[in-house]
Amino acid sequence: MTPPPGPFDPSHADEPELLDLLDNATRSESPLMLLDIASSMVASFDDSDLDDTDADGADPTEIPPIRELALQMLEATPKETEPLVRIWAQMLDDELFGRRIAKMLPTPSTKRLPEWIRRAEEIKPFRAAALISPVKIEETILLEISTAGRSVTLAVGVDRSGSPYLEDAYLADGPLSNIVEFSRTELELPVDEVTLSLADAGARLSEAFEMSTHMFPPIETESWPGTRPLLEWMLRKLPEGGTGYEIRTWEPEEIEELVADFRASPFAESLTEEEIGHAHLLFEFQCNYGNNDPLRWSGTFVERLMCDLYPRKVMSPADDLLLMPTALAALVRYANDRSGVDPVFTENALNAIDDNREEYTAQVRGDRPESTSALFARLLTGVDDDTLPLSEPVSDLGDEFGGGSFFGDQASMLAEIFIGSGAEAVGGIEALQALTDEPLPGEGLDTAGVADDVVDRLNSFVPEIRRIADEVFGEPELATSALRFLAEIGRGDPTVFRRRLADRTLLAALFWIVGKTNNLFSAQWSSEGDVTIGKLQRHLGVSSSPKPTAEKMLHAAGHELSDVEVILGDPRYLISRRRRRIIANRDTYWDDLPEDWEY
């Protein structure tokens, strides 16, 4: 797909850059580029600007509405802008404007323009299909657009959580069959292909588009709302009378039947009655807030359930709520096994339960996860008090906490914990003693020793790595950490980069690793960040948990995942903020180490 031009500044409508762009689009064999430009420019105007207005008396410095701009462009540069205006005459739902433009344009008999532009009135939807996730959480509606030349396909992403809504729309070159074939051979996760009548496609697209207009904040992607005028144009040309999304209403008795079947299944045999008691609500939440099918579970909905819906909507004692993840894991296995979906979706959902368990626990308890120091203070003293002065050596706290008290007697234990964990994070006691907090320098990707056949792919990641580090984590240093570890994987075992894994999947896994090793995810103990794994996934458009791919990457670089912790044991991967925390613990607890302690 040709990248959309992005937000268009109409004040530059007659500048050479735009005219060159239009010339290239007109000469292109594919209609994609010109349709993309035409739609993006219309989308750059506010809805209020799309109505005909009288320009008399208007401020000459104001940007004219799109129709007035079209007339001005034809007067100033008719040859260069005619192709664009011909598309606008069809795209804009304005018969008067179309007639006015027709009088200004030369007859379309000239061969100077490609035939598809001269016959722009014939542009229309031709056929449609949908690529649907087997767990029904998302789908992509494909609308092939025919012209008098080559066809293009408008791909519309729809999120089916609760009421389906449009989450993106972009143009792809070629017929619908090209994307279908790509989905069969290149996508990481399987999808179901469903042929749609044009009427049914129109009904689904209209519903999803309408719902998206009520989303706040408004949906913005690289291509949306740039493709909105094109979608609206095609919707007007689609036949009416189709069937949209069918949202089933599940009766309480039906859900109780599912609960009874789950209770009798081998998946629930190890659960207590209190844990099984969550099953009815879990099925109900999937029916009402998820994909409307209680027997198909995805990692995406599991994350939303644990990090938002369940702790916010269920009024129950904390001890009872904390039983839910165990019940959810068993229920996911039962439901996906009964519906027969690919096991990869079950694995993703179970990984999502593991990834979000700490965040869920924190929300149920009404606070963020406590710091490591506060945790150990509470465990050792039995005092649940955030005011314990752990910012100074335990042995210097005075009689209240030392001098024979339980806490004072255990000073050496705390020191062993913090000094030991710090040494583990940086690769040993000597490395801990020599540790500094100088910021990681900005670096490029060092491909020395990396297999030649993956170098180009790794280099293509560099701009996106810098952007993610800055935009998602607000930590430019993290780009250096990610680039260093990326190169380490390439030197160790580059097989993961030769597989047909999407770039966004690899990037999500890479930042899952360096984010965890730097304690940047909010669910980690002692984290100082507010980034969730779900936020990282949403930013990259990844629906499955990054953990399985991250484990492969860690193994390729010679590391193993310990439970859910990532310990690389090398300060080269630690940003300055993380190292400052380790240094502070080192300086605080060093004097409390027992004389015979060995790492």
Side-chain angles (χ1 to χ4, degrees):
M1 168 188 169
T2 301
F8 173 71
D9 183 354
S11 65
H12 300 298
D14 58 350
E15 292 191 357
E17 290 81 357
L18 174 63
L19 300 182
D20 290 342
L21 196 63
L22 290 175
D23 183 59
N24 291 335
T26 302
R27 294 174 183 273
S28 173
E29 294 182 0
S30 169
L32 185 148
M33 189 175 181
L34 186 57
L35 290 176
D36 223 356
I37 294 171
S39 185
S40 295
M41 289 181 68
V42 174
S44 296
F45 289 82
D46 293 333
D47 289 344
S48 59
D49 289 333
L50 295 179
D51 298 324
D52 280 325
T53 56
D54 186 356
D56 293 341
D59 185 343
T61 64
E62 289 186 359
I63 299 172
I66 192 72
R67 292 156 178 78
E68 193 66 29
L69 176 63
L71 300 176
Q72 292 176 4
M73 292 171 74
L74 278 182
E75 291 175 356
T77 52
K79 180 179 178 181
E80 294 85 350
T81 57
E82 178 188 345
L84 175 65
V85 176
R86 283 191 181 276
I87 300 301
W88 279 348
Q90 303 300 320
M91 181 178 289
L92 298 173
D93 188 19
D94 188 333
E95 185 178 349
L96 179 62
F97 171 72
R99 289 201 301 267
R100 189 175 180 184
I101 289 297
K103 293 179 181 179
M104 299 180 65
L105 291 173
T107 59
S109 59
T110 173
K111 299 296 184 181
R112 181 175 59 82
L113 295 177
E115 187 173 7
W116 80 269
I117 298 177
R118 289 185 277 118
R119 295 163 56 187
E121 70 279 359
E122 298 179 22
I123 298 173
K124 63 181 180 180
F126 176 58
R127 56 185 166 190
L131 302 177
I132 305 174
S133 163
V135 287
K136 298 183 180 179
I137 197 67
E138 57 193 2
E139 72 176 56
T140 301
I141 299 176
L142 305 176
L143 189 65
E144 184 175 336
I145 301 172
S146 70
T147 73
R150 290 169 53 174
S151 60
V152 294
T153 299
L154 182 62
V156 181
V158 177
D159 188 309
R160 292 179 56 170
S161 298
S163 298
Y165 66 91
L166 180 152
E167 59 179 355
D168 197 7
Y170 60 91
L171 269 176
D173 196 18
L176 175 154
S177 57
N178 286 1
I179 300 180
V180 172
E181 180 60 28
F182 177 87
S183 72
R184 290 172 179 163
T185 59
E186 301 295 331
L187 290 186
E188 181 182 353
L189 297 177
V191 293
D192 297 327
E193 177 194 346
V194 177
T195 300
L196 298 176
S197 69
L198 289 178
D200 287 351
R204 289 193 182 198
L205 288 170
S206 296
E207 286 182 29
F209 175 48
E210 167 62 21
M211 181 57 64
S212 72
T213 63
H214 302 292
M215 304 298 289
F216 185 83
I219 294 170
E220 291 187 7
T221 69
E222 182 182 359
S223 52
W224 183 268
T227 49
R228 174 174 175 164
L230 177 62
L231 174 60
E232 292 176 313
W233 179 20
M234 292 300 106
L235 284 175
R236 294 195 301 270
K237 288 178 169 283
L238 287 169
E240 298 180 352
T243 301
Y245 293 101
E246 297 179 345
I247 307 299
R248 175 181 173 182
T249 300
W250 288 79
E251 299 298 334
E253 295 78 13
E254 294 177 294
I255 294 179
E256 277 303 321
E257 289 178 5
L258 289 176
V259 173
D261 190 61
F262 169 56
R263 182 193 300 272
S265 74
F267 299 96
E269 61 185 9
S270 63
L271 298 182
T272 65
E273 280 300 312
E274 290 78 10
E275 289 167 337
I276 293 176
H278 288 274
H280 191 285
L281 270 180
L282 291 173
F283 283 131
E284 196 172 79
F285 271 66
Q286 181 68 285
C287 293
N288 296 329
Y289 299 101
N291 59 14
N292 197 229
D293 186 338
L295 294 178
R296 294 173 185 266
W297 287 76
S298 68
T300 302
F301 184 68
V302 162
E303 186 211 346
R304 184 182 173 211
L305 180 79
M306 295 181 68
C307 295
D308 176 35
L309 293 174
Y310 216 82
R312 178 166 57 88
K313 289 182 172 290
V314 180
M315 298 294 104
S316 188
D319 288 346
D320 179 57
L321 290 176
L322 292 176
L323 300 175
M324 186 277 284
T326 301
L328 177 60
L331 187 144
V332 164
R333 292 187 179 95
Y334 157 80
N336 284 3
D337 179 78
R338 176 169 163 176
S339 59
V341 300
D342 193 300
V344 69
F345 293 102
T346 302
E347 181 183 354
N348 286 339
L350 295 176
N351 285 332
I353 294 173
D354 290 339
D355 287 344
N356 294 286
R357 188 182 292 267
E358 288 182 88
E359 178 71 21
Y360 173 77
T361 300
Q363 291 199 35
V364 167
R365 288 175 174 164
D367 55 17
R368 293 283 302 281
E370 61 195 319
S371 68
T372 306
S373 56
L375 168 67
F376 285 114
R378 178 172 57 79
L379 292 177
L380 293 173
T381 66
V383 178
D384 194 4
D385 188 352
D386 292 335
T387 63
L388 289 175
L390 291 178
S391 59
E392 52 185 309
V394 177
S395 56
D396 295 339
L397 292 180
D399 292 339
E400 182 178 358
F401 295 99
S405 72
F406 179 77
F407 191 80
D409 291 342
Q410 302 303 315
S412 61
M413 181 184 295
L414 280 176
E416 290 181 39
I417 290 170
F418 285 110
I419 299 301
S421 63
E424 187 178 24
V426 300
I429 287 295
E430 291 184 2
L432 178 62
Q433 290 173 319
L435 193 65
T436 67
D437 63 354
E438 295 178 3
L440 294 180
E443 294 178 352
L445 179 66
D446 180 6
T447 57
V450 175
D452 292 341
D453 63 317
V454 300
V455 167
D456 287 346
R457 187 176 192 189
L458 267 57
N459 275 322
S460 72
F461 294 158
V462 174
E464 190 70 2
I465 285 173
R466 298 193 192 285
R467 187 182 66 80
I468 295 168
D470 186 40
E471 294 183 7
V472 178
F473 293 90
E475 287 284 358
E477 288 181 58
L478 198 63
T480 298
S481 174
L483 289 170
R484 288 175 174 179
F485 195 70
L486 183 69
E488 200 63 30
I489 300 167
R491 296 186 189 101
D493 182 2
T495 304
V496 68
F497 301 121
R498 296 178 179 133
R499 294 172 179 159
R500 291 178 174 177
L501 291 174
D503 289 355
R504 61 180 181 272
T505 300
L506 295 171
L507 288 169
L510 178 64
F511 276 94
W512 188 90
I513 293 170
V514 296
K516 276 185 169 286
T517 201
N518 280 285
N519 266 31
L520 292 178
F521 291 113
S522 60
Q524 293 180 268
W525 293 115
S526 74
S527 170
E528 297 176 355
D530 60 357
V531 178
T532 65
I533 293 172
K535 177 181 178 181
L536 173 65
Q537 290 179 240
R538 287 189 294 273
H539 187 87
L540 290 172
V542 175
S543 58
S544 57
S545 170
K547 182 180 176 182
T549 304
E551 287 189 87
K552 294 182 178 69
M553 286 181 158
L554 285 165
H555 184 73
H559 299 274
E560 298 296 334
L561 183 64
S562 174
D563 194 15
V564 293
E565 294 302 315
V566 176
I567 302 170
L568 300 181
D570 191 334
R572 295 174 60 252
Y573 303 117
L574 301 181
I575 61 176
S576 56
R577 176 159 59 128
R578 173 68 172 136
R579 281 178 280 121
R580 277 195 296 273
R581 184 69 173 268
I582 294 173
I583 290 170
N585 286 337
R586 177 197 68 188
D587 296 344
T588 297
Y589 298 107
W590 189 269
D591 291 340
D592 292 308
L593 283 172
E595 294 182 0
D596 59 348
W597 182 76
E598 294 182 2
Y599 172 66

